[in-house]
Amino acid sequence: HYAKEYLLNFADYVIFMSATIISHEGFIQSIGLDKNETISIKEASPFPIENRPILYSPAGSMSAKNIDNTLPILVGMVKTIINAHKKEKGIIHTHNIRIANYLKDNLKSRRIIVAYGSQREHLLNKHINSNEPTILISPSMSEGVDLRGKQSEFQILCKVPFPYLGDKVIRKKMNKWKWWYNTQTVRTIVQSIGRSIRSENDKAVTYILDKDWERISSNCKDYF
């Protein structure tokens, strides 16, 4: 629809469409397009804001040097949240396996389904098809997962998903483009929140528990 409306008179063009480009200037640069030959069109989200509230309540920093002190507090907060949603399905984004397993070991709830690795898709389908108010815990469901309607009515972000600095490719991209690290972090946050909001009629509340949210939200106001 937008392509026809805005680009009807162009004989040759390539269209990239995404809900999470975040920075069109950075996107253009990262894939090697000429900014003078590129048109960017931005549309507001059609999903009502009141259907997707985001509540920030820090358990503490989940950075490598602070995570040991924060995890016990985070577990207590997660227990409180899931008890407030006893009859609803949800998803807990951990963004790493350590947090996922820690929650599994300490929550000890029959509602919990920890999904990653070779059993990820099987356990995702178990959650989707269950008549019980199951809760997915996963480090790897920030994208490509459709939890529409009653499949997820709340979600928890345990950790701000900063890219792993031990990866050589990530370090090279950071050195090449100063903006890259922050846009990747914001993109993953937005994608994670989008797992439960799939249409104008979907409703889901998101809880952010990592104190490092303050840093990324302050540094990236324009991206959000």
Side-chain angles (χ1 to χ4, degrees):
H1 170 74
Y2 298 127
K4 289 180 181 178
E5 182 176 348
Y6 292 107
L7 300 174
L8 191 60
N9 296 324
F10 285 72
D12 299 296
Y13 53 84
V14 176
I15 302 172
F16 296 92
M17 298 184 71
S18 173
T20 51
I21 286 178
I22 308 301
S23 166
H24 67 273
E25 298 94 343
F27 178 77
I28 289 167
Q29 188 177 356
S30 65
I31 63 173
L33 296 177
D34 185 341
K35 65 179 181 180
N36 296 317
E37 297 182 358
T38 305
I39 295 172
S40 175
I41 302 162
K42 184 175 181 179
E43 292 289 332
S45 172
F47 302 164
I49 290 176
E50 59 269 22
N51 287 2
R52 46 189 175 95
I54 298 173
L55 306 180
Y56 167 57
S57 184
S61 170
M62 292 292 282
S63 65
K65 66 179 181 180
N66 295 309
I67 190 171
D68 289 337
N69 293 327
T70 303
L71 276 173
I73 302 170
L74 183 132
V75 167
M77 295 180 71
V78 170
K79 286 180 181 178
T80 299
I81 293 169
I82 65 176
N83 285 336
H85 296 271
K86 287 183 178 180
K87 297 181 179 181
E88 297 172 343
K89 291 188 175 188
I91 182 170
I92 301 175
H93 298 284
T94 64
H95 296 298
N96 72 38
I97 294 173
R98 179 188 175 187
I99 300 171
N101 287 332
Y102 190 92
L103 290 178
K104 176 185 176 183
D105 293 340
N106 289 276
L107 290 176
K108 300 185 185 303
S109 170
R110 293 181 179 179
R111 298 173 64 192
I112 296 300
I113 298 175
V114 181
Y116 63 86
S118 61
Q119 291 294 303
R120 177 182 180 274
E121 296 304 312
H122 167 71
L123 294 171
L124 171 61
N125 288 327
K126 179 181 177 180
H127 166 81
I128 290 172
N129 296 321
S130 175
N131 293 321
E132 300 299 319
T134 51
I135 303 168
L136 282 169
I137 295 181
S138 181
S140 59
M141 289 191 181
S142 61
E143 57 184 321
V145 174
D146 186 352
L147 298 174
R148 67 185 69 184
K150 299 294 184 180
Q151 294 172 7
S152 179
E153 295 182 88
F154 73 95
Q155 51 195 354
I156 303 172
L157 271 66
C158 294
K159 185 181 187 305
V160 173
F162 297 107
Y164 176 51
L165 292 174
D167 188 312
K168 292 181 179 179
V169 174
I170 287 173
R171 291 204 307 271
K172 285 188 175 183
K173 288 183 177 180
M174 285 176 61
N175 291 332
K176 184 174 183 179
W177 301 306
K178 299 303 180 185
W179 45 263
W180 184 86
Y181 193 78
N182 280 343
T183 57
Q184 287 299 114
T185 305
V186 171
R187 180 177 293 114
T188 305
I189 293 171
V190 174
Q191 287 175 328
S192 298
I193 293 171
R195 294 316 93 210
S196 303
I197 304 292
R198 312 301 298 167
S199 74
E200 292 91 336
N201 299 318
D202 278 343
K203 296 181 179 181
V205 57
T206 298
Y207 302 88
I208 299 178
L209 306 186
D210 186 356
K211 194 175 189 300
D212 294 324
W213 163 254
E214 295 174 12
R215 174 159 54 97
I216 191 71
S217 61
S218 175
N219 292 341
C220 301
K221 287 181 180 178
D222 292 342
Y223 294 154
F224 284 109

